[in-house]
Amino acid sequence: MTAPFHIEGHERASRWLITCDHASNRVPDCVNGGNLGLPDEDMNRHIAYDIGAAGLSRVLAREMGAPVILSDFSRLVIDPNRGEYDPTVLMKLYDGSIIPANRGADAAEQERRLDAFHRPYHDALTELAALRDDTVLLAVHSFTPQFKGREMRPWHVGVLYAEDDRLAAPLLERLRAEADIYVGDNEPYSGHLPGDSMDRHGVEPGRPHVLIELRNDLIATPEQQEHWGQRLAPILDGALTDAGC
């Protein structure tokens, strides 16, 4: 079985390390024959991966001279942005869609997927982050403009963080200075989720870190990803300078 992640730009010298936990909607063959029982329509929705996040991550990595690690399995296989004991690490119902191959998955199957996908991804991320003493983590995600039956989400960019706002605070300030960007402060989600990627690789080891969420209709195409990557890279670099960490 191939590695459940890709690392690009390993040789790049920046302090930044970019992560993309939900880069892919791929279901490996060893999981129910490569099919979770969902129609293509669902597998191409936000429930299966973060639309546009992989392309945006690559542009940011190039512009910032940073390495990037991208998952290569759907979040519906097992969610790498959840702690191992989080009840949503293996989703059985998401935004109105039942995931047939997960519906009857027992503890043994969850453990098998953790061992095959979740743990190797985090082991690789741990090794990458430890290559420098001054690593700064940037997690890249995207969010759907609207969950079924809920209100529209108006933000263009969300900045997520927990107690440590060393990097988030100056980033919020710089983004708010952009008149045409509607910024969410810990929107559309709270940045505090025990056991998630930033908690594990940023908060616990004390590294500067921040998670950004782009609304996925803004980064659906390569051209949009290029635009936002080129725009956000100097803002992020400037925020790190402002943070002085």
Side-chain angles (χ1 to χ4, degrees):
M1 185 175 69
T2 58
F5 56 85
H6 299 296
I7 298 172
E8 299 176 11
H10 196 291
E11 73 290 349
R12 293 171 183 159
S14 173
R15 290 180 63 193
W16 288 103
L17 170 56
I18 297 172
T19 70
C20 190
D21 294 338
H22 299 148
S24 174
N25 61 354
R26 186 176 78 94
V27 181
D29 289 342
C30 64
V31 178
N32 202 49
N35 189 330
L36 293 175
L38 287 169
D40 289 345
E41 177 185 357
D42 272 340
M43 290 305 300
N44 289 319
R45 290 207 297 136
H46 72 98
I47 66 170
Y49 73 125
D50 280 359
I51 295 165
L56 176 62
S57 296
R58 289 185 168 102
V59 175
L60 285 168
R62 183 196 71 212
E63 293 295 307
M64 298 163 73
V68 58
I69 181 169
L70 307 103
S71 68
D72 193 26
F73 55 94
S74 172
R75 66 192 299 171
L76 296 180
V77 170
I78 200 81
D79 193 335
N81 194 35
R82 296 292 185 273
E84 291 193 14
Y85 301 104
D86 190 305
T88 65
V89 70
L90 198 160
M91 291 290 283
K92 302 186 178 185
L93 173 68
Y94 194 7
D95 195 20
S97 294
I98 295 170
I99 297 87
N102 293 353
R103 193 175 186 179
D106 59 13
E109 174 61 12
Q110 179 168 314
E111 178 67 16
R112 187 181 74 84
R113 295 190 200 180
L114 286 167
D115 204 42
F117 307 108
H118 192 284
R119 289 170 184 147
Y121 174 78
H122 283 286
D123 288 347
L125 177 46
T126 297
E127 290 181 13
L128 270 178
L131 290 175
R132 297 182 61 123
D133 293 333
D134 60 351
T135 294
V136 179
L137 289 182
L138 170 65
V140 178
H141 291 258
S142 71
F143 64 93
T144 182
Q146 186 177 28
F147 275 112
K148 290 182 177 180
R150 300 191 190 179
E151 294 182 356
M152 291 292 295
R153 294 154 144 187
W155 309 281
H156 300 132
V157 182
V159 176
L160 276 61
Y161 57 98
E163 293 83 7
D164 183 353
D165 66 350
R166 284 177 293 171
L167 187 51
L171 178 57
L172 281 165
E173 184 174 352
R174 282 185 172 258
L175 286 170
R176 286 168 175 155
E178 303 287 317
D180 60 336
I181 298 180
Y182 187 8
V183 185
D185 183 347
N186 267 333
E187 298 286 1
Y189 315 103
S190 166
H192 180 67
L193 185 62
D196 71 359
S197 284
M198 285 297 96
D199 186 57
R200 180 169 177 173
H201 301 286
V203 174
E204 289 187 6
R207 294 187 181 102
H209 62 278
V210 71
L211 187 154
I212 59 170
E213 293 259 6
L214 275 286
R215 207 176 68 209
N216 66 27
D217 61 318
L218 301 178
I219 54 169
T221 69
E223 293 77 17
Q224 290 173 314
Q225 294 154 20
E226 187 73 29
H227 165 77
W228 278 98
Q230 289 192 26
R231 184 169 186 185
L232 290 173
I235 294 174
L236 284 155
D237 280 333
L240 181 57
T241 298
D242 295 345
C245 56

